[in-house]
Amino acid sequence: QIRDLSETLHVEPYLVGGFVRDLLLKRPNKDLDLVIEGDGIEFARKLHQVLGGKLDVHPNFGTATLDLNGFHLDVATARVEYYEYPAALPQVKPGRLKQDLYRRDFTINTLVISLSKEKFGWLIDFFGGNEDLKKGIIRGLHSFTFIDDPTRILRGIKFAVRFGFTIEEETDLLIRQAVEHGVIKELKGPRFWEELKSLLMEGKELKTLQYLDDYGILREIAPDFKLTDQQWKNLKRIDWVIQLFKDQCIVQRWLLVLMVIFANLSKETIERIANDWNLSLKDRAQLNFIHEEVYRVKEKLSEGKLRPSQIYNLLESLGSEELMYLVLISDSQLILDQVLEFYNRLRRIDVEVSGKDIINLGFSPGPLFKEVISKVKEAKLNGKVKSRE
Ligand code: CTP
């Protein structure tokens, strides 16, 4: 349909960037980037009429997005340079597409597939991206790429860990120089945090953190940000702990990683980082996730000899990631057993007595009800009552 429409509208459509990269790597991707040599917005409007979906247009940028059940299409305009005569078809300066692509980050993200009728399916490779893709290399496009946009350092690491690629020597050096130059420290606003999250969401935290450590990025975030042997050990145990609870809860692995790596930073340092990155309240809460509560619970559980109702009350308020974090940092069979007891048994215990039952016994609703129900629950948790009777 894109091909047919481009013929009708006399424009050249190109598929560019991550989708082409992933297509060649045979990896799924539902984000399509289209560059239209011609009027991208008109193209998106017409495409919307044919395919339906939800269209958003940004006339100032010459871009539009189209959401089509599960697929997301970004349409951009490769700016028209001149008209040969009024009302003529716009002539696009040769090399326009190449210039647009040269502003990107890595060679593997500059690949293009033509979708026009005459050249349908042709792979256009201006910067050797296909060769790098075959060799498994992450190569920056030019020497200012990381100075222009330091978040690209994290993107480079992301692609390296995601695909198991190597960061090419010159690019590696440019990253080190940029970090040494202070680009990470100077970076204000939430973009670094967004890229960091996206990097941790790749789920390959060991490799990722080795890169962050090796490039000195952690140190640039905060001078005392250095992972201890214990933290590395905890990171290595994340798979184990997730496996342990896999049937019981859905865990956001990246949050667990975040908890481990930020654990040794002081509250003031975390506050300063959150301010530098201009984080929203929700993001701040994620960064500051190590509630003292976890440590308090750990202390209590390590005393042992707790009644089931006490274990329940201690663990009930913790989220999944906090529970797993507790297991990770405890390294204790006693605590593990209590957490498992809570997870496998205690949290499933229900009080089969309701307010209605209490009313039927002749009481009027009031604060006493809550107390009665919690006492019944306590008795049930501790095995003192076994049935509804
Ligand atoms: N890009 C860039 N510099 C950035 C972010 C993005 O040059 N800081 C370019 C990249 O070339 C990329 C394109 O913009 O191909 C689109 O970026 P994004 O939407 O992040 O897509 P992907 O590269 O596909 O990344 P991912 O697979 O993680 O979605």
Side-chain angles (χ1 to χ4, degrees), residues 21 23 37 49 66 69-70 72-73 83 87 89 92 120 150 175 177 196 229 262 278 280-281 300 350 377:
R21 173 199 72 211
L23 191 70
E37 281 187 347
Q49 284 169 9
L66 186 59
N69 58 48
H72 179 84
L73 199 72
Y83 289 75
L89 287 178
V92 176
F120 193 82
I175 293 180
Q177 284 169 350
L196 182 65
D229 289 348
F262 278 84
N278 201 7
S280 67
L281 283 180
K300 288 270 176 213
D350 243 352
K377 179 146 191 173

Side-chain angles (χ1 to χ4, degrees), residues 31 61 68 88 151 194 237 287 293 313 318 320 350 370:
D31 287 328
F61 299 101
L68 292 160
T151 64
E194 291 304 332
R237 280 160 30 104
L287 196 59
E293 184 64 8
N313 290 337
L318 300 187
S320 316
D350 243 352
K370 205 171 159 212

Side-chain angles (χ1 to χ4, degrees), residues 53-65:
K54 184 178 170 295
L55 179 74
D56 275 317
V57 175
H58 314 283
N60 292 347
F61 299 101
T63 60
T65 59

Side-chain angles (χ1 to χ4, degrees), residues 1-2 46-53 66-69 73:
Q1 267 147 336
I2 290 174
K46 290 268 167 23
L47 197 63
H48 176 228
Q49 284 169 9
V50 181
L51 298 177
L66 186 59
D67 277 308
L68 292 160
N69 58 48
L73 199 72

Side-chain angles (χ1 to χ4, degrees), residues 17 20-22 24-25 98 101 104-112 123-141 163 165-166:
V20 179
R21 173 199 72 211
D22 288 346
L24 293 171
L25 288 173
K98 186 173 175 184
L101 292 166
R104 295 193 169 221
D105 48 8
F106 302 104
T107 58
I108 58 166
N109 288 336
T110 60
L111 290 162
V112 179
L123 181 70
I124 304 169
D125 180 6
F126 295 113
F127 306 103
N130 197 24
E131 189 67 14
D132 286 344
L133 209 54
K134 284 184 187 151
K135 288 191 186 150
I137 286 175
I138 305 295
R139 188 195 307 270
L141 265 183
F163 303 134
F165 282 12
T166 311

Side-chain angles (χ1 to χ4, degrees), residues 33-301:
D33 272 328
L34 272 186
V35 171
I36 305 294
E37 281 187 347
D39 187 342
I41 291 189
E42 188 198 6
F43 188 85
R45 288 210 165 100
K46 290 268 167 23
L47 197 63
H48 176 228
Q49 284 169 9
V50 181
L51 298 177
K54 184 178 170 295
L55 179 74
D56 275 317
V57 175
H58 314 283
N60 292 347
F61 299 101
T63 60
T65 59
L66 186 59
D67 277 308
L68 292 160
N69 58 48
F71 279 92
H72 179 84
L73 199 72
D74 271 316
V75 183
T77 304
R79 246 170 291 143
V80 174
E81 298 296 323
Y82 64 92
Y83 289 75
E84 246 174 3
Y85 52 90
L89 287 178
Q91 301 296 307
V92 176
K93 207 170 166 182
R96 179 76 234 170
L97 184 65
K98 186 173 175 184
Q99 271 176 39
D100 271 8
L101 292 166
Y102 190 57
R103 287 204 292 267
R104 295 193 169 221
D105 48 8
F106 302 104
T107 58
I108 58 166
N109 288 336
T110 60
L111 290 162
V112 179
I113 290 178
S114 167
L115 297 181
S116 68
K117 185 159 184 263
E118 301 79 48
K119 294 178 267 175
F120 193 82
W122 286 22
L123 181 70
I124 304 169
D125 180 6
F126 295 113
F127 306 103
N130 197 24
E131 189 67 14
D132 286 344
L133 209 54
K134 284 184 187 151
K135 288 191 186 150
I137 286 175
I138 305 295
R139 188 195 307 270
L141 265 183
H142 52 76
S143 51
F144 292 106
T145 188
F146 304 114
I147 303 279
D148 287 349
D149 181 354
T151 64
R152 288 175 170 170
I153 297 175
L154 299 191
R155 286 176 58 85
I157 298 173
K158 175 170 80 176
F159 295 125
V161 299
R162 182 190 293 172
F163 303 134
F165 282 12
T166 311
I167 298 182
E168 177 267 340
E169 219 172 289
E170 176 78 20
T171 305
D172 183 272
L173 197 66
L174 288 171
I175 293 180
R176 289 178 200 279
Q177 284 169 350
V179 174
E180 219 158 275
H181 205 257
V183 293
I184 304 287
K185 238 190 317 242
E186 286 157 18
L187 198 73
K188 304 289 178 216
R191 289 190 55 230
F192 188 83
W193 163 250
E194 291 304 332
E195 278 299 344
L196 182 65
K197 269 202 304 197
S198 144
L199 176 56
L200 294 179
M201 281 176 199
E202 293 291 321
K204 302 199 174 143
E205 58 277 349
L206 285 179
K207 196 93 193 97
T208 297
L209 285 157
Q210 274 157 10
Y211 271 119
L212 293 177
D213 195 35
D214 179 39
Y215 283 143
I217 293 173
L218 296 181
R219 219 177 35 236
E220 290 290 304
I221 296 174
D224 53 345
F225 200 168
K226 174 107 191 78
L227 299 182
T228 61
D229 289 348
Q230 186 57 49
Q231 281 170 303
W232 282 112
K233 197 172 151 206
N234 290 343
L235 288 169
K236 285 181 190 146
R237 280 160 30 104
I238 283 184
D239 270 334
W240 164 77
V241 80
I242 288 184
Q243 191 63 22
L244 201 64
F245 290 93
K246 77 173 192 316
D247 297 329
Q248 344 273 357
C249 60
I250 298 165
V251 66
Q252 297 190 71
R253 182 186 183 111
W254 73 273
L255 259 185
L256 195 55
V257 174
L258 206 67
M259 290 166 87
V260 172
I261 63 177
F262 278 84
N264 291 353
L265 294 183
S266 67
K267 280 222 169 305
E268 295 73 49
T269 304
I270 292 184
E271 182 72 19
R272 198 264 302 149
I273 295 172
N275 288 340
D276 279 357
W277 291 347
N278 201 7
L279 297 190
S280 67
L281 283 180
K282 179 171 165 259
D283 290 337
R284 265 167 206 269
Q286 288 177 333
L287 196 59
N288 210 354
F289 209 28
I290 316 293
H291 301 300
E292 269 120 34
E293 184 64 8
V294 178
Y295 295 101
R296 193 182 70 83
V297 171
K298 182 181 166 216
E299 285 298 299
K300 288 270 176 213
L301 291 180

